[in-house]
Amino acid sequence: MIDDAPAPLIHGGVQTPRAPLPVLPPLALYVHIPWCVRKCPYCDFNSHTASPQLPEEEYVDALLADLDQDLHAVYGRPLSSIFFGGGTPSLFSAQALGRLLKGVEARIPFAQDIEITLEANPGTFEQEKFVAYRALGINRLSIGIQSFQQAKLEALGRIHNGDEAVRAAGMARQAGFDNFNLDLMHGLPDQSLEDALSDLRQAIALKPTHLSWYQLTLEPNTVFWNQPPTLPEDDTLWDIQEAGQALLAEHGYAQYEVSAYAQPGRAARHNLNYWSFGDFIGIGAGAHGKLSHPDGRIVRTWKTRLPKDYLNPAKSFQAGEKTLANEELPFEFLMNALRLTAGVEARLYPERTGLSLQSLAEGRREAEQSGLLQVEPTRLAATERGQLFLNDLLQTFLS
C-alpha cells in the first residue's frame, strides 16, 4: 500500500508535510567498469588491476541482469544520459560496449538527444578504438590526462606520457568527437605555480569543450595516504587556484561546478543531472544509484563491490539500499545543488524532495546572514564565499 501522507519534517520548530513527488526527475544511467591496467597511488575509486584477459562477455551479461533488477523502479522513463566510468572503461572492446548499449536501449528508451560519455586514458592502445566507440553512438569522451609533464605523470603512477596525452585529444576529434573533456589535476607533488599553469595552458591549447580541473587530495586507503608525497604549501595551492581560474575564464571556460569548466552550452548533462538531485541507475561492481518514486520515497542503492563477487551468480548484485528519511533530505539535496556555481532554481527543492521550501527557511536565513548563501528568493545558490566554505554552508542546514 502506498502511503500518501509521509511523516512530517520537523525543522526549526516548523512542521512541514512531505508530499508525493509532483514530477519525477530526469533519469540517467551510470555503468561502472572496474578494471585498470594499473592502480594509481592516489586513486580511491573502486578499481582493480586487470588480468591479461578481461571477462568482457560475462561482465556485460551481469550488467544487463543487474539492470533488469532495477527496471521496476524507473517507470518507463527515458534515459537522458549514460556515463561509463571506472576503472578504465576504454579497456573494453567496442563490440562488448555495443552489445551492452543495445541491451540497455532494448530495456529503457533513449532520449532523442541522449548524452553518452566514456572515460578513456590517453594510451595509444585506447586511442585506436575511438572511431569504433563513436560509431556505437558514444558522443562524448572524458580523457584522463592529469598532467602533461613526465615527472608529474611518473609521480602519479600514470602509464601514458605527455606526447600521448596531446595526441589523444587530436585523435578524439579525428574520430568525430566534437564534445570531449580533459581531466587535469593540480596541487601535484612538488608542483610550482608555473608547472600547474603550464599544464593548464597545454590543455586549453587542445581546445576541449570541457575541463575537469581539480586539486589532488590524499584519500584514505590509497598508497599516497600511507606514503604521502610532498605537496605544495597552502599559499601555492591558493595561487594556483586563483591564477588557473582566471586563465580558464580568459579562454571562455565558465566554471559551473566546484571543479568543472565548460565552453558555452557544453556543461556535462550527466553531471548537471547528478548535482541537481536527478535520478540515476547505477550498475556494475560498486556502482551507486539514486531513484525517486511517485509516492515520495527516494532510495539510494549500492552494488556488490568486488568484481569476483559481482560476477558470482550465487551472490546478489545489490549490496544494500537506503530510503532517505525526511530529515536527511535538506542536506542531501543541498550537498549536491550548492556545488553548482549558479545553484538551482528554488522550485527544484519541493519538486525533487516533496518538502516545502519552508523547511529550509531557518537555515536559509542563517546562511544569508553569514554571507554564505545568496539572498535570492527564486534560487538556492552559494555566494563566492559560500563556495569556498561549502562545508560551513551545509552545516547551517543540519541544525
Side-chain angles (χ1 to χ4, degrees):
M1 177 178 177
I2 293 175
D3 180 3
D4 285 329
L9 172 77
I10 300 174
H11 185 91
V14 177
Q15 205 174 65
T16 306
R18 181 164 164 217
L21 300 181
V23 180
L24 291 174
L27 179 68
L29 173 67
Y30 175 74
V31 182
H32 193 75
I33 297 178
W35 291 283
C36 285
V37 173
R38 185 169 68 196
K39 180 87 169 179
C40 296
Y42 58 84
C43 178
D44 69 334
F45 296 138
N46 184 33
S47 59
H48 306 266
T49 301
S51 59
Q53 187 66 39
L54 286 174
E56 286 189 341
E57 291 298 309
E58 298 91 333
Y59 198 70
V60 169
D61 288 342
L63 288 168
L64 292 173
D66 186 359
L67 180 60
D68 283 337
Q69 295 188 5
D70 285 339
L71 290 180
H72 71 281
V74 301
Y75 308 104
R77 290 182 281 169
L79 284 176
S80 60
S81 65
I82 299 174
F83 194 100
F84 290 94
T88 306
S90 54
L91 291 179
F92 266 36
S93 68
Q95 181 182 2
L97 294 183
R99 185 164 75 87
L100 175 59
L101 282 171
K102 285 180 181 177
V104 172
E105 191 171 16
R107 291 161 170 81
I108 309 178
F110 286 7
Q112 188 172 358
D113 62 345
I114 189 170
E115 175 191 89
I116 306 178
T117 301
L118 177 80
E119 287 186 338
N121 278 338
T124 302
F125 170 71
E126 286 143 77
Q127 291 175 39
E128 292 170 351
K129 303 177 186 176
F130 285 179
V131 172
Y133 291 146
R134 186 67 189 90
L136 297 177
I138 295 169
N139 51 24
R140 185 173 181 272
L141 286 182
S142 181
I143 305 172
I145 302 292
Q146 314 314 351
S147 177
F148 295 93
Q149 298 166 35
Q150 191 59 34
K152 298 295 184 282
L153 290 169
E154 289 175 2
L156 293 172
R158 304 295 288 175
I159 60 173
H160 67 271
N161 59 44
D163 289 342
E164 286 178 317
V166 171
R167 286 199 301 270
M171 291 189 73
R173 194 172 280 108
Q174 289 170 20
F177 288 96
D178 62 355
N179 189 15
F180 66 93
N181 168 67
L182 298 182
D183 251 15
L184 201 65
M185 298 172 75
H186 61 88
L188 305 181
D190 298 313
Q191 188 177 50
S192 66
L193 171 61
E194 188 48 46
D195 285 340
L197 293 182
S198 174
D199 268 348
L200 199 50
R201 289 189 193 100
Q202 176 65 81
I204 290 169
L206 297 174
K207 297 183 171 18
T209 49
H210 189 286
L211 271 163
S212 297
W213 188 61
Y214 52 95
Q215 183 179 319
L216 171 65
T217 56
L218 305 185
E219 302 291 348
N221 302 315
T222 65
V223 173
F224 273 5
W225 180 264
N226 294 313
Q227 303 169 31
T230 302
L231 300 182
E233 299 288 339
D234 286 347
D235 286 349
T236 301
L237 293 173
W238 181 254
D239 290 344
I240 290 172
Q241 187 75 29
E242 283 198 317
Q245 287 183 329
L247 185 64
L248 286 160
E250 178 188 336
H251 286 84
Y253 291 90
Q255 183 182 19
Y256 70 93
E257 188 265 334
V258 170
S259 58
Y261 304 78
Q263 293 178 342
R266 295 298 198 166
R269 278 184 277 151
H270 189 87
N271 293 1
L272 286 173
N273 183 56
Y274 184 87
W275 300 124
S276 57
F277 214 53
D279 279 358
F280 53 99
I281 306 168
I283 60 173
H288 286 242
K290 175 242 169 190
L291 291 171
S292 305
H293 297 257
D295 61 2
R297 288 178 300 119
I298 298 173
V299 181
R300 291 201 180 275
T301 60
W302 53 99
K303 302 299 172 67
T304 298
R305 184 176 175 84
L306 293 177
K308 67 179 179 63
D309 292 335
Y310 185 82
L311 290 169
N312 184 346
K315 293 184 180 289
S316 171
F317 294 121
Q318 185 158 302
E321 69 172 46
K322 174 182 171 60
T323 300
L324 297 177
N326 286 8
E327 58 271 18
E328 296 174 293
L329 283 170
F331 184 85
E332 285 273 341
F333 179 91
L334 293 169
M335 176 177 62
N336 292 283
L338 294 180
R339 287 182 63 97
L340 294 169
T341 53
V344 296
E345 293 183 46
R347 65 171 178 79
L348 277 186
Y349 179 74
E351 278 185 17
R352 299 198 175 170
T353 66
L355 299 172
S356 164
L357 274 170
Q358 182 61 25
S359 65
L360 296 179
E362 184 177 319
R364 286 181 85 174
R365 279 194 299 271
E366 183 182 338
E368 288 168 358
Q369 290 167 2
S370 302
L372 299 174
L373 194 72
Q374 293 182 23
V375 182
E376 176 55 67
T378 63
R379 293 198 72 78
L380 294 165
T383 61
E384 285 188 23
R385 184 167 179 266
Q387 286 281 324
L388 291 173
F389 299 100
L390 195 55
N391 286 339
D392 292 339
L393 170 55
L394 292 171
Q395 286 297 318
T396 63
F397 294 95
L398 284 178
S399 56

